[in-house]
Amino acid sequence: MKILVCISSVPDTTTKISFTNNNTALQSNGVQFIINPNDEFGLTKALHIKEANPGTNVTVLHVGPNSSDPVIRKALAIGADDAVRINVEAIDPLQVAGEIAHYVKANPYDLIITGKESIDYNGAIVAHALGEMLGIPSVSPCIGLSINGSEASLTGVVDGGKEELTASLPIVVGGQKGLVEEKDLRIPNMRGIMQARTKPLNVVEASGSKEAQKVVNYDTPAPKAACKIVDANNVDELVRLLQNEAKVI
Amino acid sequence: MSVLVYIEHTNGIIKKNALEAASYAVAYAEKTNGSALGVTIGNVSESEIKKLGNVGLEKVFNVGGHDYLNHQKVAAIMADVAQKNNSTTYIFSGSSEGKGAGPRLAVKMGAGIVSEVIEVPSSTSPITLVKKAFSGKGYANIQLNHEKNVIVLSTNAFGVHEKSVDVHIENISSEGNDTSLTHQSFDRDTKGISLPDAELVVSAGRGLKGAENWGMIEELAETLGAATACSKPVSDIGWRGHHEHVGQTGIAISPNLYIAIGISGAIQHLAGVSSSKTIVVINIDPEAPFFKAADYGIIGDAFEVVPKLNAAIKAIKG
Ligand SMILES: Cc1cc2nc3c(=O)[nH]c(=O)nc-3n(C[C@H](O)[C@H](O)[C@H](O)COP(=O)(O)OP(=O)(O)OC[C@H]3O[C@@H](n4cnc5c(N)ncnc54)[C@H](O)[C@@H]3O)c2cc1C
Ligand SMILES: Cc1cc2nc3c(=O)[nH]c(=O)nc-3n(C[C@H](O)[C@H](O)[C@H](O)COP(=O)(O)OP(=O)(O)OC[C@H]3O[C@@H](n4cnc5c(N)ncnc54)[C@H](O)[C@@H]3O)c2cc1C
């Protein structure tokens, strides 16, 4: 079986976000970039499937410039077999999905795993757009997946609960925590890091998928006013404030 | 040019986030000199659809049949209705259905798509919109360069705006015959309040020390009519289910009231909850970082404060 895991490269979750150039660009000096956390659950799931099905190959794919190579190498160190980087700045979720679809049409996969959402631009768009572009089903957010021959059983998240589904491969799955558990995530060891240096990272040129939108500029949320501290022995005061001042209850 | 809005319902009852989406569509249509058209799919009564008149929606297409729906079918039906009505803007709630159907519809229509949108366009040529980015740590002003666009809303950001009109309902049929996903079963919690669209949320963290201590959290939530949530470690340890995990890597929420109990306020947690309208923090440690992001705080032991708070709220609710 051939599995493709799409990863985005995002600011470390501890990053305080700020902007530069008249608020037209993310301030990325000193920012540590990591594999999008949702994608790490997907990558780990792919490795579980590979371990249970000998002969399976796991490819990671990223759309972006060579500044993302360290993040791709990390995915290889965690255990992916090879990597593909589509060499273009990612600026729009449909452009990213278009580039991935273009690549997959020429290089078919049985299972394509993305994250449910990239934690930088919070699109939650790529998984389903990719499914539509390829004319195959997509389940995202997905918190359960098992593969039996050419059939997949999936657990999708729906508002207020979950849904059990089945589909024939190929499919697109948008992962998050639950696809595997937090404790299943793998930290690259020295051997993995050494091997990652020699695993193939193929750079391919973009098909020129059109972008539909651009960011004009950014804002950060206005800072909160100081917190009003209420005495622990006077909860009635808190209730009064919530009722009369904040007007939320 | 018309603005098409997908109206979600649960077992025939129109959801609050659908009223918000309808309200947004009406405002968007006004701003762009178009008209707003709603689409309901499945079994929704006429009197229920008429409720959309309270937010200014004048016309609704009611697509009969479709006892079972998924995002792929919704996208197929919306594309059919959009083509027949020359619609160029398509509005969805930021629910699981909306986030699923929106991207598929965008591809079908050759449209652009923006999600986590919080406002109507500030300018219309080109359309310029504000979306949340970096999990609530920032906002991006986005310019759309397509003729057609899908807009997926950030729940509880635009709000429901009342405006009374008469609703004209047109019953239509549309196939939506996408069968590539086979439904097996649903497992939905029908009694609790669903977290993503809850207006009030009571959330607790590792400060509660064990799963057995959540009784008082559930009681407070019940008194308020709130949904329950938790910090990431709490769901990692298994004290609560994953579907309650809020934050940068969990669910991002923006309720009117978020009460955080025994949660320290790590940056990843704040990212997913800081756009809540009002934040209350109950923590034993006066130095807990969460107080910096809060509107109201109580420094104290949750095991003493929460039962008192519950009693005080019960008292005013009578
Ligand atoms: C300097 C810089 C500036 C950027 N500016 C913008 C911008 O202005 N607007 C914008 O929308 N994006 C921008 N991006 C790109 C952004 O990082 C995403 O790659 C892309 O936009 C999709 O984001 P999303 O949140 O909509 O994806 P989602 O739909 O939330 O992503 C879901 C999943 O799709 C996959 N995926 C997403 N992006 C990629 C990728 N690049 N390669 C491989 N798989 C991917 C992952 O599996 C991810 O979990 C910028 C990136 C950089 C480095
Ligand atoms: C990649 C990554 C992603 C992450 N994503 C998320 C995310 O999405 N969401 C998230 O929540 N976290 C996330 N985290 C974890 C985050 O960094 C924190 O570790 C976590 O939020 C802490 O949870 P907590 O506040 O429940 O526990 P703690 O930090 O242990 O805080 C417990 C609090 O309870 C208080 N307390 C103790 N006893 C009492 C008492 N009797 N009464 C009142 N208060 C009491 C303490 O003073 C303390 O402030 C992420 C971390 C990483 C590395």
Side-chain angles (χ1 to χ4, degrees):
Chain A
M1 185 157 69
K2 288 179 72 187
I3 306 178
L4 185 69
V5 180
C6 302
I7 58 169
S8 65
S9 160
V10 300
D12 176 50
T13 58
T14 57
T15 310
K16 289 208 170 76
I17 297 294
S18 63
F19 303 102
T20 64
N21 287 349
N22 280 330
N23 285 340
T24 57
L26 176 71
Q27 160 63 267
S28 56
N29 272 347
V31 172
Q32 170 83 25
F33 281 82
I34 60 166
I35 302 173
N36 179 39
N38 291 314
D39 305 349
E40 225 182 303
F41 291 99
L43 174 59
T44 310
K45 181 71 195 185
L47 298 176
H48 286 182
I49 295 173
K50 175 183 156 87
E51 283 151 11
N53 300 276
T56 299
N57 188 81
V58 177
T59 302
V60 290
L61 180 149
H62 174 73
V63 180
N66 63 8
S67 53
S68 303
D69 284 353
V71 170
I72 299 174
R73 289 279 176 211
K74 179 162 177 212
L76 291 171
I78 290 172
D81 297 299
D82 48 52
V84 173
R85 182 168 60 77
I86 301 176
N87 190 25
V88 63
E89 195 86 56
I91 49 170
D92 173 320
L94 288 183
Q95 168 224 9
V96 170
E99 290 296 345
I100 301 173
H102 179 81
Y103 181 79
V104 170
K105 280 179 187 157
N107 305 274
Y109 286 84
D110 304 295
L111 173 62
I112 301 165
I113 303 182
T114 72
K116 69 159 179 182
E117 175 181 317
S118 179
I119 64 162
D120 50 0
Y121 288 88
N122 306 118
I125 290 166
V126 171
H128 294 295
L130 188 55
E132 183 69 31
M133 287 170 178
L134 294 171
I136 61 176
S138 53
V139 176
S140 175
C142 179
I143 52 170
L145 167 67
S146 66
I147 305 244
N148 195 343
S150 63
E151 293 296 309
S153 303
L154 305 116
T155 310
V157 175
V158 294
D159 286 352
K162 47 195 182 180
E163 178 179 13
E164 301 299 330
L165 296 155
T166 51
S168 302
L169 300 181
I171 52 171
V172 179
V173 164
Q176 65 162 47
K177 186 168 81 173
L179 194 55
V180 300
E181 297 306 319
E182 183 83 18
K183 62 173 169 37
D184 297 327
L185 297 181
R186 299 174 183 187
I187 296 161
N189 57 25
M190 196 37 92
R191 202 174 111 95
I193 294 168
M194 297 301 288
Q195 284 176 340
R197 289 190 191 157
T198 54
K199 285 179 180 172
L201 193 175
N202 303 313
V203 179
V204 300
E205 289 313 314
S207 70
S209 229
K210 251 183 43 208
E211 68 233 33
Q213 54 177 264
K214 70 167 202 242
V215 174
V216 186
N217 56 24
Y218 297 95
D219 276 325
T220 42
K224 279 249 176 200
C227 173
K228 279 192 188 166
I229 297 290
V230 177
D231 191 285
N233 294 313
N234 193 6
V235 293
D236 288 340
E237 170 68 2
L238 176 64
V239 174
R240 196 190 60 76
L241 288 166
L242 292 178
Q243 217 177 1
N244 301 334
E245 191 176 79
K247 299 191 168 61
V248 287
I249 60 172
Chain B
M1 279 195 309
S2 62
V3 177
L4 207 59
V5 52
Y6 176 57
I7 305 293
E8 288 180 34
H9 63 93
T10 316
N11 302 324
I13 306 298
I14 289 178
K15 290 199 199 171
K16 183 178 164 241
N17 68 21
L19 291 177
E20 181 177 37
S23 212
Y24 183 92
V26 168
Y28 193 101
E30 260 168 31
K31 184 95 193 181
T32 52
N33 297 318
S35 57
L37 307 170
V39 179
T40 56
I41 308 174
N43 199 357
V44 194
S45 69
E46 196 161 302
S47 62
E48 191 63 23
I49 295 176
K50 292 276 183 197
K51 286 186 185 163
L52 293 162
N54 300 334
V55 295
L57 197 62
E58 288 178 19
K59 170 134 194 191
V60 175
F61 295 104
N62 181 27
V63 183
H66 303 288
D67 291 337
Y68 167 73
L69 264 187
N70 62 36
H71 62 278
Q72 298 185 181
K73 289 177 188 278
V74 171
I77 293 168
M78 285 290 284
D80 183 24
V81 181
Q83 266 143 8
K84 288 182 179 142
N85 292 281
N86 247 326
S87 311
T88 50
T89 308
Y90 324 101
I91 316 283
F92 290 91
S93 305
S95 60
S96 55
E97 240 176 277
K99 283 181 179 167
R104 285 200 170 250
L105 181 65
V107 175
K108 284 184 199 290
M109 302 302 294
I113 175 167
V114 195
S115 56
E116 290 291 320
V117 169
I118 61 169
E119 283 170 7
V120 287
S122 56
S123 135
T124 52
S125 60
I127 297 273
T128 309
L129 288 167
V130 184
K131 90 181 283 286
K132 280 199 210 166
F134 302 101
S135 310
K137 293 178 184 176
Y139 296 99
N141 284 303
I142 304 270
Q143 213 173 61
L144 302 179
N145 302 323
H146 264 66
E147 300 277 307
K148 299 177 182 168
N149 292 293
V150 172
I151 293 175
V152 185
L153 300 177
S154 173
T155 304
N156 210 19
F158 182 71
V160 175
H161 301 270
E162 297 198 356
K163 182 181 173 204
S164 191
V165 297
D166 266 342
V167 186
H168 174 71
I169 302 173
E170 189 175 327
N171 291 308
I172 59 169
S173 64
S174 176
E175 294 249 331
N177 53 358
D178 186 319
T179 54
S180 60
L181 274 175
T182 309
H183 169 75
Q184 303 293 339
S185 63
F186 278 122
D187 175 5
R188 284 198 189 116
D189 179 1
T190 43
K191 50 184 182 15
I193 292 166
S194 134
L195 181 58
D197 38 44
E199 285 175 40
L200 309 174
V201 175
V202 177
S203 183
R206 208 147 50 176
L208 257 72
K209 316 226 164 33
E212 66 280 8
N213 296 327
W214 249 262
M216 63 180 190
I217 302 299
E218 283 172 355
E219 277 166 34
L220 178 59
E222 200 184 320
T223 305
L224 281 165
T228 50
C230 69
S231 67
K232 175 171 178 284
V234 164
S235 78
D236 288 347
I237 315 163
W239 294 351
R240 302 296 286 181
H242 292 326
H243 60 283
E244 285 199 359
H245 160 196
V246 291
Q248 192 162 8
T249 55
I251 304 173
I253 51 170
S254 45
N256 293 339
L257 174 63
Y258 182 74
I259 305 183
I261 301 163
I263 302 176
S264 57
I267 186 166
Q268 300 97 342
H269 185 86
L270 295 180
V273 304
S274 58
S275 57
S276 305
K277 310 252 163 22
T278 299
I279 297 179
V280 173
V281 168
I282 300 171
N283 198 302
I284 204 160
D285 175 9
E287 302 296 324
F290 218 143
F291 285 114
K292 290 205 176 71
D295 299 281
Y296 305 106
I298 290 185
I299 300 163
D301 183 348
F303 295 96
E304 290 169 20
V305 175
V306 174
K308 280 194 212 161
L309 182 60
N310 187 27
I313 294 172
K314 262 197 177 140
I316 61 150
K317 295 226 163 186

